[in-house]
């Protein structure tokens, strides 16, 4: 596979699409997702892990709120990963991740994930390159474990926004009282490292691709939400699940 | 490396050894271990995982009580693994294991371990051979993760007893009121599967040997305890640890 170059991939919705039509499609998809998730929960055979990655302000919280959070919370859990705690730092980098993977019947959503350990840590050079390479191998082994040993279907999304869209959204956080709580002076600093992040992401897409990534054009929220809903729906549909019927003793 | 044949390895202490001398040596080793463990805890750089495997009545509890349990419990944790719970069964087989691995500075002892998933489950044919092979690969990946990403030093002990010694000890559990609580009618059934267990163990020694196993002759408790204490002491000594001194702000 040729290496993905993010600068070659559009961050916007295709021009020919009608926003209102797509939004209606997304509503239908969400209704289908609710039904499929119920089936997944009832059958308790597969599990689903949704990994959300993307730059600051790429809209991860929006996807959680408007798509993934629309399903029954009994069978859906959202787990954000922030900077590791002291206890977490005393273990291998996958230790805090592994305890939050979905059991059979569950959908877990990682808002940021184990990938931060080969992204933010790499960009800031907090760990050396040799360690980064080893971590990528370890991530591949780990995702294989989940896939092969627990029928976990992993969906990895990169929410792809342009630097301009990001700047605009970060600016909004300073102006809009409803968004100010999200403002973090550090985000402006991180935004300056755009090129380094882009390179680190491109390496991840190349080296941690046994389970493929979906690059989601994310400048338009309506299109981003549609793509995530559609990808998840197609995956769940592909499992050909059935209700288990009455339990036989 | 030639495949290990357990029937070629003695289960008893070498004849030339003097039991009382060895017991005195073990006491000295335990005193040294206490000091080294304190250093490990203070330095918080390495961690140690001791895996204890062996047939029923091979004396795992004795090693825990007489050797490993002699160190400061602040920095030593013993984790037994029994039949998995319903929640644990809904995850990959390493999920319940991973959460109990040692953080930096700690010594964790696994009384039985992830190896049961390629031993008891294999002997009883609860899982197919293809899954067993995949599990062995997953175990190797997992042990590599702990070793490379958290400086975890893994010591794997197989407590090697003869079928005769086992039969004697199981019999004792039926007679000695202090041991009756350990009696389990099922143990006699498991003992009949001796050959199948021996073969399964030999495959484990061959295929999960990136981190080597120590085969401990275990018919004599005094010798078994000496070997475990000595192996652990040599490992800790090899870390060349130093007290960290006063923390610089």
């Amino acid at each position: 596979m040729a290496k993905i170059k993010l600068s070659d991939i559009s961050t916007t919705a295709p021009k020919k699409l009608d926003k209102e039509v797509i939004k209606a499609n997304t509503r239908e998809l969400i209704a289908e997702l609710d039904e499929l998730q119920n089936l997944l929960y009832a059958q308790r055979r597969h599990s689903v892990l949704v990994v959300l990655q993307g730059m600051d302000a790429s809209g991860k919280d929006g996807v959680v709120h408007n798509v993934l959070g629309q399903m029954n919370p009994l069978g859906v859990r959202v787990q954000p990963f922030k900077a590791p705690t002291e206890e977490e730092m005393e273990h291998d980098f996958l230790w805090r991740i592994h305890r939050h993977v979905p059991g059979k019947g569950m959908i877990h959503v990682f808002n940021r994930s184990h990938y931060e350990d080969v992204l933010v840590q790499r960009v800031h050079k907090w760990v050396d390159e040799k360690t980064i390479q080893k971590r990528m191998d370890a991530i591949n082994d780990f995702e294989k474990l989940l896939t092969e040993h627990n029928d976990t279907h992993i969906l990895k999304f990169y929410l792809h926004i342009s630097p301009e869209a990001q700047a605009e959204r970060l600016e909004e956080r300073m102006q809009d009282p409803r968004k100010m709580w999200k403002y973090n002076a550090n985000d402006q600093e991180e935004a300056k490292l755009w090129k380094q992040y882009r390179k680190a992401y491109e390496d991840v897409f190349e080296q941690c691709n046994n389970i493929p990534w979906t690059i989601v054009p994310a400048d338009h929220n309506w299109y981003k939400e549609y793509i995530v809903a559609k990808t998840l729906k197609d995956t769940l549909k592909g499992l050909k699940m059935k209700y288990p019927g009455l339990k036989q003793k």
Side-chain angles (χ1 to χ4, degrees), chain A:
Chain A
M1 198 195 75
K3 187 160 179 167
I4 285 175
K5 277 201 71 181
L6 282 174
S7 53
D8 292 346
I9 301 176
S10 172
T11 58
T12 59
K15 285 236 164 60
K16 62 179 185 335
L17 291 184
D18 182 295
K19 178 174 166 180
E20 291 313 316
V21 172
I22 293 296
K23 279 181 129 177
N25 286 348
T26 304
R27 279 192 296 275
E28 277 169 42
L29 284 167
I30 286 171
E32 273 187 89
L33 277 177
D34 197 49
E35 181 59 31
L36 286 162
Q37 180 270 319
N38 198 46
L39 194 49
L40 183 93
Y41 188 77
Q43 200 191 25
R44 271 185 143 56
R45 208 162 106 186
H46 306 279
S47 56
V48 174
L49 174 59
V50 176
V51 172
L52 291 181
Q53 285 288 157
M55 309 281 196
D56 292 324
S58 59
K60 297 180 289 292
D61 293 349
V63 168
V64 167
H65 187 249
N66 300 324
V67 180
L68 304 161
Q70 299 296 311
M71 296 177 285
N72 189 342
L74 190 66
V76 181
R77 201 173 296 164
V78 180
Q79 181 63 41
F81 288 97
K82 312 265 180 196
T85 65
E86 200 173 328
E87 192 195 12
E88 288 167 352
M89 296 267 270
E90 283 171 352
H91 290 85
D92 68 86
F93 75 106
L94 293 170
W95 180 75
R96 68 176 188 148
I97 306 292
H98 203 169
R99 55 172 60 194
H100 292 295
V101 302
K104 288 192 193 303
M106 296 294 293
I107 300 177
H108 284 196
V109 179
F110 285 180
N111 191 341
R112 301 195 185 269
S113 66
H114 42 297
Y115 283 101
E116 290 299 322
D117 294 285
V118 290
L119 290 165
V120 60
Q121 298 211 12
R122 187 181 196 185
V123 165
H124 289 280
K125 299 192 167 63
W126 292 331
V127 282
D128 61 34
E129 278 300 304
K130 210 178 132 194
T131 303
I132 292 294
Q133 294 306 319
K134 280 187 185 175
R135 285 188 183 176
M136 299 229 229
D137 292 342
I139 286 174
N140 287 333
D141 291 342
F142 176 65
E143 293 182 353
K144 187 174 152 196
L145 171 72
L146 303 184
T147 306
E148 292 194 350
H149 295 270
N150 206 39
D151 277 319
T152 304
H153 302 268
I154 308 177
L155 292 171
K156 305 192 285 193
F157 294 105
Y158 171 70
L159 305 188
H160 182 40
I161 50 166
S162 62
E164 297 74 27
Q166 187 195 41
E168 202 175 293
R169 291 180 189 184
L170 290 179
E171 183 64 26
E172 245 177 51
R173 290 186 182 174
M174 295 173 73
Q175 312 298 339
D176 182 346
R178 287 187 64 247
K179 293 185 176 169
M180 281 178 188
W181 65 277
K182 282 197 162 197
Y183 174 76
N184 182 340
N186 192 41
D187 290 350
Q188 307 284 0
E189 290 305 307
E190 289 295 290
K192 290 181 193 156
L193 300 167
W194 189 273
K195 273 190 194 164
Q196 289 90 321
Y197 271 107
R198 195 168 59 190
K199 192 193 163 309
Y201 267 111
E202 287 170 349
D203 282 355
V204 161
F205 301 149
E206 189 183 27
Q207 291 181 55
C208 300
N209 198 38
N210 296 340
I211 292 156
W213 284 85
T214 305
I215 314 289
V216 185
D219 282 358
H220 301 111
N221 287 332
W222 55 273
Y223 186 63
K224 170 190 76 185
E225 288 164 12
Y226 169 75
I227 293 290
V228 171
K230 174 124 180 45
T231 309
L232 179 56
K233 196 272 289 178
D234 289 346
T235 300
L236 290 175
K237 200 93 186 171
L239 301 181
K240 300 190 188 312
M241 298 178 285
K242 276 182 191 154
Y243 282 100
L246 274 181
K247 246 182 210 163
Q248 307 291 328
K249 262 286 180 185

